[in-house]
Amino acid sequence: MQNKGLIKFFAILFALVSIYQLSFTFVSNKVENDAKAFAGGNQEKETKYLDSISKEKVFNLGFTDYTFEEVRGKQINKGLDLEGGINVILQISVKDVLKGLANNSKNPAFNKALEDAKKNQQGNQSYLDAFFVEFDRVSNGSTKLASPDIFANRNLSDVINFNMTDDQVKKVIRKKVDESVESAFGVLRKRIDKFGVTQPNIAKLGQTGRILVELPGAKDVDRIKKLLSSTAQLEFWETYKIDELGQFLMSANDALKLTEKSAVGTKEVKTVKEDTLAKLLTDAEKTDSTAATTKGNNPLLDKFVGQGGGPVLGIIAAKDTAAVNGYFKRKDIRGLLPADKRYAKFVWNKGTTVVDEKTKKATETFELYALKGNRDDVAPLSGGVITDAGDTFDQMGKPAVSMQMNGQGAKVWEELTGRASTEKGFIAIALDDVVYSAPGVSSGPIAGGRSEISGAFDVTETKDLANVLRAGKLPAAAEIVQSEVVGPSLGQKAIDAGLLSSIVGFLLVCLWMVFYYGRAGWYANAALLLNLLFLFGIMAAFGFVLTLPGIAGIVLTLGTAVDANIIIYERAKEELREGKTLGEAVNAAYGWKGAMRSIIDANVTHVLTGAILYIFGTGPIQGFALTLLIGIVTSLFTSIFIARIFIDKDIANNRSLMFCTPTTKNWFTGFHYDFIGVKKWTYLFSSVVVIVSLVSIFFVNGLDEGVDFVGGRTFQVKFEKPVEPTKVSEELSQVFGTPVEAKIFGDSDQLKITTKYKIKEEGTAVDAEVNKKLYDGLSKYFNNITYDKFVNLYQGKVYGVLQGSKVSATISADIKTNSFWAVLGAMLIVGLYLVISFRKWQYSLGAIAAILHDVIFVLGLYSLLYKIMPFHMEMDQHFIAAILTVIGYSMNDTVIVFDRIREFLAGNVKGTFKDVVNASINTTLSRTLNTSLTMILVLLIMFIFGGESIRGFIFAMLIGIIVGTYSSLFIATPVLVDSMNKKEIDEIEKRHHANE
């Protein structure tokens, strides 16, 4: 081998750099373990400890040192499935962005296109593209996007004019939407920087308008989701006082008597107190209130359970707020408002919960306010004018938020407070249409723009609100379309399972290589060990995230890393059998006509399928693909160059090296099996398998499609003792009012619960509602567990929701579309490569036939077995990753055989075309079986020790590798033979002297 010194230099250099990069991970883990020991399980204490030492020097290399903050930034990042935490994908509402750009246009074609785009949006189609399609259809050329009442408005006058074509306007709108997503990205980045979690990650997902946010270590599920999706619509409104709307409330109550039935006689009824009615009636110039005050005769006023005053119109029980909202939305009721108050906007405060000391029953009530709205529903002052905000405490010692406005905001604020002071009025401070406080102003106008919000806050809320105000307002609503929550204890379990499978898999591969190849096996193992060092070093250097599927990718790399060595060693043995010296045999094996062509062809197919998996996958699947891709590169380097350094040393020292042991010397040699001769039987067997599989998939069992493909919410719940899944399913179905599926997940005291309840509805309120229903339905199975402990994450959590995920209908449609194109694309691109590499389409046809056979076989097996297997066999992203991996590895064996066929056809092997092909298969059988065997070994280890969450994923690959080995021998090659035309066969046999 030439340039041996240079290769040694780079190998040593890469090893040192890798050790240097990995050292940060070891130091960081030690510090974090010390923090855990110091905190004794107290998560808040642990976080404070780590924050306190973030600037301290913890790693000294002699020539430089690093603080804990710097060390933590350079460690290998663990994914949520290993670290625990929260992962969400936010979809910026392009619909809201378009409304804003169109200045809330009332154009019927525009608004119909907005609505139809949501309904008719296809999988993998962006909302913006769907809107353009629907607008073209609805307008049918009669209305232009550049109409003055759509996008050629005052706000966009500098970039759009009414002379522009729709295509020109579309380009501008696309740019504006991208800018809105970029703005949202910036706002969210500022927000998550204040969450106090380690190694937060935020990334835009292509041009989809979606933003991925990962918060390792985050615990408070509901709070985090609310913070991420909140638009932070802070507004300042003048309010009506109770004496200004008392007459309206009385008139509304009288009008409702004609259409509404009061809940007289029910135990839950509470009528408004006499003093509250008196207040209303006095201010409303009452005349005769006898009828009005009769208990149970007032549809509206009977719902008042507390006295109002100032800006508060009254206090309403939580159960009645929806009814009151409905009353105020009715046209006939709003028509009773005086002309100068016709734009009044009725809103609620945050709410108050009171616990009756005697009954211990909690009652939640809300205060009703009327804001001085206007035709455009625009507040006099919005939170956009705030330049800084911070959490503080008011003069009474209650949590508050201080804020500073810009010059323009300060001027408007001075006018508002001045008017409120003169009129003895009130200013409501509302966040997302919820009033947090409505103070009066008694000391004259407030100048300078500095003020304070106090009211119904707790310390956490003031911190969150200050954070949101500092970061700014999202340009549009951010809907959580996909989320995953993983508890830290579950993450530790995944780490333990991953480490165990990795170690056992590594040892088994090493033992097999030594057993089969003797001393040459030790050289392959040394290369394998160095390969793992390089792999982890690269991951640390580039900040890649390690996930549980990523660990699976590393274990798979153990199997593939020795593939190149196996191919080389088997070729070297063949050369030695032909009488060549060790040096000649090694040079021939490492040559292009020896093993290199097969190695390159096989690994290119791996790279292609891995790249497709990375492009179409998300989250952990990308981690799996990335690990595979890095592993391919590092294993090629170590297998080809590092192992040869040791082999060349043996050659130089005249040491004997046979690439086998006395036991394995003649294994897989001397085969003369007629693979082509049995093709009728293998075709028949495979045809039956394919037919049975297709019948099961399309007509009998179907496939167990997971939430990734159909949408829904999944929860992994750990109970205190074994439960009956059928009973739990029935009980939860009653609670949710829709079918809920419950299956045992691993142990009998753990269930995987899936529901599609309100999956088409977005918003954190729906997520919280689902969590609450789940808690209500399952709380009886736990011993005094609170809602927070059931839902939220914390260190050492044993019972309750250990993991939860949500996939919206939109996301699931995209995943399904991406999965289809990923599998189809992988087959086509591999086929195209083989056409280019082998220069004959018949090779590509044989490979595609084998791949298609393998995919249908695995799908069929999953369809037939998912109802009876003790582990989950769902169709999800992990399953698609397994299918694509199977495609890559199926090609490995096929390419090895095809390369030998090409070599023999170009050489001097005697016999018929069938004889040449059979000889090609028989002489490569040792390579085929050895490479497959190492893969099967590591997959079996992962299947046994890798953990419940990836068992179905591993099973698909395990079956795929076995079937792929079969198809490369009995499907791909026979199809290649049968697709050759007679003229070509005659020419081949003439060259090989078939009749001699």
Side-chain angles (χ1 to χ4, degrees), residues 681-694:
W681 296 107
T682 56
Y683 280 167
L684 179 62
F685 169 74
S686 292
S687 298
V688 170
V689 168
V690 168
I691 292 169
V692 170
S693 297
L694 294 175

Side-chain angles (χ1 to χ4, degrees), residues 454-496:
S454 60
F457 290 111
D458 58 33
V459 174
T460 299
E461 287 175 325
T462 56
K463 288 181 180 296
D464 291 345
L465 179 56
N467 176 18
V468 169
L469 293 177
R470 279 195 302 269
K473 182 181 121 179
L474 286 172
E479 300 169 343
I480 296 176
V481 292
Q482 185 174 347
S483 64
E484 183 175 13
V485 178
V486 182
S489 57
L490 199 62
Q492 186 58 51
K493 188 176 180 181
I495 291 174
D496 295 341

Side-chain angles (χ1 to χ4, degrees), residues 805-826:
S805 64
K806 164 193 169 183
V807 180
S808 73
T810 305
I811 285 283
S812 64
D814 289 355
I815 291 173
K816 186 176 285 190
T817 303
N818 284 343
S819 299
F820 171 79
W821 286 112
V823 174
L824 184 63

Side-chain angles (χ1 to χ4, degrees), residues 79 81-82 484 494 498 545-556 613 618-628 877-878 881 942 946 949-950 953-954 957:
D81 50 1
L82 300 179
E484 183 175 13
V545 178
L546 182 63
T547 62
L548 186 56
I551 291 178
I554 291 170
V555 179
L556 280 176
L613 186 57
T618 58
I621 302 305
Q622 282 189 324
F624 172 73
L626 193 61
T627 305
L628 280 180
Q877 290 188 85
H878 290 83
M942 277 191 288
S949 61
I950 62 168
F953 165 60
I954 298 301
M957 283 195 285

Side-chain angles (χ1 to χ4, degrees), residues 695-745:
V695 169
S696 179
I697 292 168
F698 292 106
F699 303 106
V700 182
N701 287 338
L703 289 161
D704 186 16
E705 293 186 277
V707 295
D708 282 357
F709 280 10
V710 296
R713 292 177 174 85
T714 297
F715 302 91
Q716 184 178 334
V717 181
K718 184 79 169 178
F719 294 82
E720 294 174 355
K721 57 184 179 181
V723 292
E724 175 55 49
T726 305
K727 183 180 178 183
V728 172
S729 177
E730 291 173 354
E731 292 172 347
L732 288 177
S733 296
Q734 290 181 352
V735 172
F736 282 94
T738 186
V740 175
E741 182 184 77
K743 296 179 180 178
I744 290 178
F745 191 76

